[in-house]
Amino acid sequence: MVKVGFIGLGKMGLNMALNVTDKGWSVVGFDANESAREKAKAKGLTVADTEDVLLSQLDEPKVVLLSTPAGPTTNGLVKELTDKLHAGDIIIDSGNSYYKDSQENFRVATEKEIHFVDCGTSGGMSGARYGACLMVGGEEAVVKQLEGFFTDLAIEDGYLYAGKPGSGHYLKMVHNGIEYGMMEAIGEGFAVLEESDYDFEMADVAKCWANGSVIRSWLIDLMVDAFKQDPNLDDIEGIIDANGEAKWTVQEALDLDIPLPVIASSLYVRNASKIENSFSNRVVASLRNGFGGHALYKKGE
């Protein structure tokens, strides 16, 4: 087993690092945020105080996994690392990067004979900690070198080699577009119940649907917990952030002339949520917080 360097010890990165550490992998982590480093140390993880120290502690070939915000942060970090790493080293991007960015990052790394692997990661914080769903793209021979790592990080049957560079993040992009649509449908359904003449206990409804119904799912399970904590979601503002994945999915569908009415509508609802406070939006906001720890806007804050 090679030692793996984790850059980014936030909600996902720290949990993934702890996950593979439990499986016997040697890990050293780094985060630009001091409090994140201290939290990781308190969890027993070996943590470097600088990026350069982290790199110095890795074996050859060096394997560095990024769990950092998609876009300029991750893209800039890839360029920075390609100046510090050597031929044969490997960069894994486990974030929600746009697949076209990953294609470009692959090109940038390849110019210096450094390998780049794009890893779409699903399952939220609990998946990261105890078994994620991984969609991995890149050169097949390189990914095969890391297959034991990905298999240990993933839940059983939750690892897929997706194909050529960019394919892992392409799959995650479409996955998240579907996720938007599913959450929006759940939110709208509960909104109908909330406005009806019946006095439904939402937690009981969600619990019933979570057991044996056609729509049973982890998302419905999360609503059981959310309604138990706040039966009418009164403490939540119906503001739903959008991280970009559904927008990318809709843009891709337009390029391919594929209609995506549900996913597109769910994206527009999120945009509209900035100016309204509907019950369905409060449901979706609760779901996002439940699986991914995404920001939850409380009334009065």
Side-chain angles (χ1 to χ4, degrees):
M1 290 183 175
V2 299
K3 181 181 287 188
V4 180
F6 277 70
I7 297 181
L9 300 174
K11 294 174 293 189
M12 296 295 288
L14 175 57
N15 281 309
M16 287 191 290
L18 294 173
N19 181 349
V20 294
T21 297
D22 288 347
K23 307 289 176 51
W25 289 84
S26 181
V27 167
V28 57
F30 168 73
D31 195 291
N33 184 289
E34 183 178 359
S35 63
R37 296 198 301 271
E38 293 303 317
K39 181 178 179 180
K41 289 177 184 176
K43 295 282 188 179
L45 195 71
T46 300
V47 177
D49 289 330
T50 69
E51 182 184 302
D52 288 340
V53 170
L54 177 142
L55 296 177
S56 72
Q57 295 181 11
L58 300 180
D59 306 320
E60 301 289 345
K62 300 182 189 297
V63 178
V64 181
L65 182 144
L66 309 181
S67 182
T68 49
T73 298
T74 293
N75 297 338
L77 190 52
V78 169
K79 289 182 173 63
E80 181 181 318
L81 286 170
T82 58
D83 289 333
K84 296 179 177 180
L85 296 173
H86 302 101
D89 291 342
I90 303 171
I91 301 170
I92 305 168
D93 176 8
S94 71
N96 279 329
S97 293
Y98 186 31
Y99 81 97
K100 290 186 178 179
D101 285 350
S102 295
Q103 291 174 335
E104 174 62 14
N105 286 333
F106 173 82
R107 186 193 65 77
V108 168
T110 301
E111 284 183 349
K112 298 190 177 180
E113 299 182 5
I114 295 167
H115 304 298
F116 179 86
V117 173
D118 54 287
C119 176
T121 307
S122 185
M125 295 180 293
S126 62
R129 183 65 183 87
Y130 299 110
C133 173
L134 305 177
M135 299 145 267
V136 183
E139 299 166 289
E140 184 171 10
V142 176
V143 176
K144 291 293 183 183
Q145 292 179 46
L146 301 166
E147 199 157 72
F149 173 78
F150 290 130
T151 300
D152 282 346
L153 179 57
I155 195 169
E156 185 177 359
D157 294 329
Y159 158 70
L160 173 69
Y161 171 61
K164 64 185 181 180
S167 61
H169 282 151
Y170 190 97
L171 274 183
K172 185 56 165 44
M173 174 187 73
V174 176
H175 165 285
N176 281 23
I178 294 169
E179 178 186 293
Y180 273 50
M182 291 173 68
M183 288 194 291
E184 180 60 25
I186 292 170
E188 291 176 7
F190 277 107
V192 172
L193 300 183
E194 197 262 347
E195 287 293 328
S196 75
D197 290 335
Y198 296 101
D199 188 21
F200 294 113
E201 291 291 337
M202 297 300 186
D204 292 341
V205 172
K207 182 178 179 181
C208 177
W209 286 353
N211 290 277
S213 83
V214 172
I215 63 168
R216 65 187 182 276
S217 62
W218 184 34
L219 292 175
I220 296 294
D221 291 339
L222 291 173
M223 286 318 306
V224 175
D225 295 335
F227 284 129
K228 283 181 178 178
Q229 294 175 27
D230 185 358
N232 295 305
L233 306 182
D234 289 328
D235 294 334
I236 299 171
E237 291 282 0
I239 298 173
I240 316 164
D241 289 330
N243 294 340
E245 299 93 339
K247 181 178 180 180
W248 301 334
T249 306
V250 171
Q251 289 173 332
E252 182 72 8
L254 290 171
D255 291 340
L256 297 173
D257 293 326
I258 300 294
L260 293 187
V262 173
I263 295 173
S265 294
S266 70
L267 175 61
Y268 298 148
V269 168
R270 291 196 181 196
N271 293 339
S273 77
K274 307 295 183 179
I275 56 176
E276 62 183 55
N277 185 35
S278 70
F279 189 79
S280 64
N281 289 348
R282 301 204 299 274
V283 170
V284 176
S286 298
L287 285 169
R288 295 182 77 246
N289 178 259
F291 67 75
H294 298 289
L296 197 62
Y297 298 92
K298 297 295 186 74
K299 290 183 178 178
E301 293 183 357

